[in-house]
Amino acid sequence: MRTLSPCAPRGRASRCAVAEDSQCGERGSELYLGREKKIKMLVLFETAAGYAIFKVLDEQKLQQVDSLWKEFETPEKANKVVKLKHFEKFQDTTEALAAATAMVEGKLGKSLKKVLKKVVAKEAHEQLAITDVKLGGVIKEKLNLSCVHSPAVAELMRGIRNQMEGLITGLPAREISAMSLGLAHSLSRYKLKFSPDKVDTMIVQAISLLDDLDKELNNYIMRCREWYGWHFPELGKIITDNLAYCKSVRKIGDRTNVASMELSDILPEEIEAEVKLAAEISMGTEVSEEDIANIMHLCDQVIEITEYRSQLYDYLKNRMMAIAPNLTVMVGELVGARLISHAGSLLNLAKHPASTVQILGAEKALFRALKTRRDTPKYGLIYHASLVGQTTAKNKGKISRMLAAKSALAIRYDALGEDTNAEMGVENRAKLEARLRYLEEKGIRRISGSGKALARADKYQHKSDVKVYDPSGDSTLPTVSKKRKIEEVEEGEEEEKPVEAKAKKVKREAPTEEEQKQRHQRRRRKRRRRKRRRNPSQKRRREPSARQRR
C-alpha cells in the first residue's frame, strides 16, 4: 500500500523524492526516501536540567495543528504521541549556563554536540525537530542532520512543556523549578553583561568619604593654625594656603630656625622673605620641644590626608567618566556624584523627572515653603554646577531648570543606554552655553513667537555728568534775600499811590442785612473750629438738617 506524500497535490499518487536539502515533511508526517526507507522524527527539547530527545510515535497527529493540544491534556495521552528516547543531564549550573548561552546566541554548544552525535547521528535518516531556526542551520552545517521547524513543531514543543513532569521520569517537580530559577538568574546576569566598571555603589561611598575628609581636614587645619599661632602668630596671616602652611610648619619647627632655613621649595621668594622678617620680630610665646613635636605630627596628618584626598578625587573622576560620562560633562564630577548618592543609585536617579532633579537636595526648604505658602526653591545640589555658578542672579532659575532637563536625559542615557561615549552630554552643554550667552547679552529678539518681530528698545540719550561753571559765584557784592526785595518793592508802590485811592476805599457802600448775617455765621464757625482744636475730646455738634429746620 502506498502512502501519499503531503507535498503531492490531491489526486496524484506520485511519491515525493526527498533531496538532501528538501524541506518536505515540515508538517511532521511520514516521509519516504527511495522506495521502502521510512524517515522518523526526533524532537530536541531543552530544559534547565538537561537535554531531552523524544521520539514521535504517531506522526499523523502532527498534521492536525489546531487540535494537537488535545493530545497533551493528560500524561497518558502525551505518552501515546511522544516517548523519551534519551536525557542528558547537566553536571552543574555552570554547564547549564554555558549551554543556555550558546542556545540564545544560536551556537552549537559542546554538550549539545555530544548528545546529537551520540543519539541522532547514529541513524542519518532521522529528522530532528527544533525550536530555533538559526540553531537548525548550525546543526545542518556541522553535523549534516536535517532539521525541521514548523507551526506543528512549535505546538508539539508547547505540549511537551505542559506535560514535562510526566514525560521525563526521575526529575521531581521541586527540583525542576529550583533548577529553572537558578538558570534564569544566571542567564539574566549574563544578558545584562554585568561589569564591575558599572557599579555605582563605589561612587556613593567615594563621594561620602570625600565629604568626610573635607570636614576632618578643616578641623585639623584650624586646630593646627590655632596651636602654632601661639608660637608664631604672624605666619598664619602671611601664608593663606593650608597645605603650604602645614608644610612650612613641618619644616620650620621653632621660629628661631627660620633665618637659617631654605623654604624656596614650598613658598615663593617674596613670601619667604616676609616670613623670615616676621620671625625676627614675632610676638609669639616660647613653647617646648614636646609641643613642637606634637604640632609637627598634626601637620604630618594634614599633609597625608590632603594627598589621599587628591588621590580619591582622581579615582572618583575616573569612575564617574566610566559610569555616567554624559552627566559628568553636564554638571561635573562632584555634583553628579552627589546626585547619585542622594538618589541611592544611578538607576534610581534615572527614574526621577527633571523637576525633581532640579531641587534634589533642597527637600527641607521645599516642604518649609509649601507649609508657609511661600515661593519654592529653584535649585538644590545642581546649584553648585559650573553653568549655574557663572550665571547672574536673575537668570539662575532659568539656567538651573534647563540644566536639570538636559541632565535628566543624560542620566537616563547613562543608566539605560549601551554606549559609553559623552557625545550627547557635550552637545547639550554647548546648547546650554549658547542659551546662557543669549540671556546674558539680553538679545533684542523675542524669546517666544515667530521671532521676526523686534522687541521695543528705548532710545539712547546721552546724559553728561560734567558740571557747567556758574559765573554768578564770582560777584563780591552782598546778596539780598528775595523776600526782603519783594517787601521793599511793595512799600514803594504804596507810597506812590495817590491819596484819592484811599478816599475811594473809605467811600464804600454800607453792607446789606444778608451780608451781615453771612459775616456773623463765618465768625461763629471760626470760633467753633478754634474750640475744637483746643478741646479735641469734645464731640462735634451736628447742625440741623433742612428737614429739621422745617
Side-chain angles (χ1 to χ4, degrees):
M1 182 179 177
R2 292 182 178 178
T3 306
L4 294 178
S5 171
C7 296
R10 291 183 179 180
R12 294 180 63 183
S14 61
R15 287 181 297 225
C16 179
V18 182
E20 185 178 355
D21 296 330
S22 175
Q23 296 298 325
C24 183
E26 288 187 352
R27 296 180 185 175
S29 61
E30 292 182 351
L31 300 176
Y32 287 87
L33 184 62
R35 292 188 175 181
E36 301 294 336
K37 213 171 200 179
K38 187 179 177 182
I39 295 180
K40 297 179 181 180
M41 180 178 288
L42 300 178
V43 181
L44 175 63
F45 185 76
E46 307 93 8
T47 65
Y51 292 113
I53 295 179
F54 292 94
K55 183 178 180 180
V56 179
L57 299 177
D58 191 357
E59 297 180 1
Q60 293 291 339
K61 294 181 180 180
L62 297 181
Q63 294 179 359
Q64 303 171 357
V65 180
D66 296 334
S67 61
L68 186 59
W69 60 273
K70 295 180 181 179
E71 304 296 331
F72 289 91
E73 289 180 345
T74 60
E76 291 78 13
K77 288 184 178 181
N79 284 315
K80 294 178 181 179
V81 181
V82 292
K83 181 182 179 182
L84 182 64
K85 187 175 183 180
H86 181 77
F87 183 75
E88 187 73 20
K89 191 176 180 180
F90 296 131
Q91 298 295 329
D92 50 8
T93 311
T94 308
E95 186 180 354
L97 177 61
T101 306
M103 295 282 291
V104 168
E105 295 178 354
K107 297 178 182 179
L108 187 62
K110 293 182 179 179
S111 56
L112 179 58
K113 191 175 181 181
K114 181 181 177 182
V115 173
L116 292 177
K117 283 184 177 181
K118 182 179 179 181
V119 180
V120 183
K122 289 181 179 180
E123 300 178 8
H125 60 274
E126 293 184 349
Q127 279 193 336
L128 184 66
I130 57 168
T131 310
D132 191 6
V133 182
K134 189 177 179 182
L135 180 63
V138 177
I139 295 173
K140 173 71 176 176
E141 181 183 352
K142 293 190 175 181
L143 299 178
N144 197 18
L145 295 174
S146 73
C147 300
V148 180
H149 175 72
S150 65
V153 173
E155 193 69 25
L156 181 64
M157 295 286 186
R158 191 175 296 113
I160 293 173
R161 191 176 296 109
N162 290 336
Q163 301 296 337
M164 184 171 57
E165 298 177 8
L167 294 173
I168 302 175
T169 57
L171 283 178
R174 185 178 295 179
E175 187 177 349
I176 292 176
S177 61
M179 289 179 178
S180 301
L181 183 62
L183 182 60
H185 288 171
S186 302
L187 192 60
S188 300
R189 292 193 198 99
Y190 174 79
K191 281 187 176 181
L192 291 173
K193 293 181 179 178
F194 179 79
S195 174
D197 295 335
K198 282 288 183 181
V199 181
D200 50 7
T201 310
M202 304 301 172
I203 289 179
V204 176
Q205 299 298 331
I207 191 64
S208 301
L209 178 59
L210 198 67
D211 293 338
D212 293 341
L213 286 178
D214 288 337
K215 292 178 183 177
E216 293 299 325
L217 270 176
N218 288 334
N219 292 332
Y220 283 8
I221 290 167
M222 181 184 67
R223 183 65 57 205
C224 182
R225 283 180 176 272
E226 187 177 352
W227 199 352
Y228 194 72
W230 288 98
H231 179 60
F232 194 180
E234 295 82 4
L235 186 65
K237 297 179 180 179
I238 297 171
I239 304 175
T240 56
D241 184 54
N242 294 325
L243 184 60
Y245 180 85
C246 292
K247 288 182 177 179
S248 301
V249 172
R250 179 73 180 81
K251 194 168 186 179
I252 292 170
D254 199 326
R255 70 168 183 266
T256 56
N257 303 328
V258 177
S260 60
M261 193 73 65
E262 188 69 26
L263 300 174
S264 58
D265 56 337
I266 303 172
L267 304 173
E269 294 182 0
E270 301 84 7
I271 298 179
E272 182 183 1
E274 194 175 351
V275 168
K276 290 183 179 181
L277 182 62
E280 295 176 359
I281 56 172
S282 178
M283 298 177 66
T285 59
E286 297 294 333
V287 294
S288 62
E289 293 182 0
E290 187 178 359
D291 297 334
I292 294 292
N294 283 292
I295 294 172
M296 291 172 70
H297 183 67
L298 179 60
C299 292
D300 290 337
Q301 295 291 325
V302 171
I303 294 168
E304 186 178 350
I305 293 175
T306 305
E307 291 175 354
Y308 175 65
R309 187 201 176 279
S310 62
Q311 180 185 352
L312 183 65
Y313 176 74
D314 294 338
Y315 164 77
L316 179 63
K317 185 176 180 180
N318 296 332
R319 186 60 66 186
M320 279 296 295
M321 285 303 296
I323 295 176
N326 293 285
L327 178 62
T328 305
V329 171
M330 293 296 296
V331 298
E333 302 88 14
L334 294 177
V335 178
R338 286 192 175 95
L339 287 172
I340 294 173
S341 176
H342 197 83
S345 66
L346 184 62
L347 191 60
N348 289 344
L349 185 62
K351 296 176 184 177
H352 291 318
S355 58
T356 305
V357 174
Q358 181 181 352
I359 60 172
L360 206 63
E363 290 85 2
K364 194 174 181 180
L366 174 65
F367 293 124
R368 183 171 62 245
L370 293 174
K371 187 177 180 181
T372 57
R373 295 184 180 180
R374 295 183 179 178
D375 294 337
T376 54
K378 296 180 180 178
Y379 26 67
L381 292 170
I382 208 169
Y383 178 81
H384 301 286
S386 58
L387 280 172
V388 181
Q390 65 190 13
T391 314
T392 56
K394 64 177 182 179
N395 292 326
K396 283 187 186 294
K398 293 181 180 179
I399 292 296
S400 63
R401 184 177 66 250
M402 291 185 286
L403 180 61
K406 297 296 184 183
S407 299
L409 292 176
I411 292 164
R412 291 165 191 169
Y413 187 81
D414 291 331
L416 307 172
E418 295 180 358
D419 299 335
T420 56
N421 53 7
E423 293 178 0
M424 191 187 75
V426 173
E427 183 180 352
N428 288 337
R429 187 179 176 88
K431 290 180 182 178
L432 286 176
E433 288 175 351
R435 179 68 176 164
L436 175 60
R437 285 195 299 269
Y438 179 83
L439 292 174
E440 294 294 332
E441 291 171 2
K442 297 179 182 179
I444 61 172
R445 288 194 176 273
R446 291 178 183 173
I447 295 173
S448 61
S450 61
K452 295 179 180 179
L454 297 175
R456 293 182 179 179
D458 296 335
K459 188 177 179 181
Y460 177 73
Q461 294 180 355
H462 178 69
K463 295 181 181 180
S464 177
D465 295 335
V466 180
K467 294 183 179 180
V468 182
Y469 177 72
D470 186 12
S472 62
D474 296 341
S475 176
T476 57
L477 297 175
T479 57
V480 184
S481 63
K482 290 183 179 180
K483 188 175 181 181
R484 188 174 178 183
K485 283 183 180 180
I486 292 169
E487 290 176 356
E488 290 177 357
V489 170
E490 288 178 352
E491 288 176 1
E493 289 178 353
E494 288 177 359
E495 290 175 358
E496 290 175 358
K497 282 183 180 180
V499 181
E500 296 176 357
K502 293 181 180 180
K504 287 180 180 179
K505 289 182 179 179
V506 174
K507 292 180 181 180
R508 284 183 179 176
E509 294 180 358
T512 60
E513 293 182 2
E514 293 180 359
E515 292 178 352
Q516 289 179 359
K517 288 181 181 180
Q518 290 177 359
R519 288 179 183 175
H520 185 64
Q521 288 177 358
R522 289 173 193 161
R523 289 171 186 169
R524 288 180 66 183
R525 288 172 190 163
K526 287 181 181 179
R527 290 171 190 167
R528 289 174 186 168
R529 288 174 188 165
R530 288 172 189 168
K531 287 180 180 180
R532 285 187 208 127
R533 289 172 186 167
R534 291 171 186 170
N535 301 322
S537 60
Q538 290 182 359
K539 291 184 179 179
R540 184 178 177 181
R541 185 177 179 183
R542 295 182 65 182
E543 294 183 0
S545 62
R547 195 180 225 178
Q548 291 172 351
R549 287 173 192 165
R550 290 174 190 171

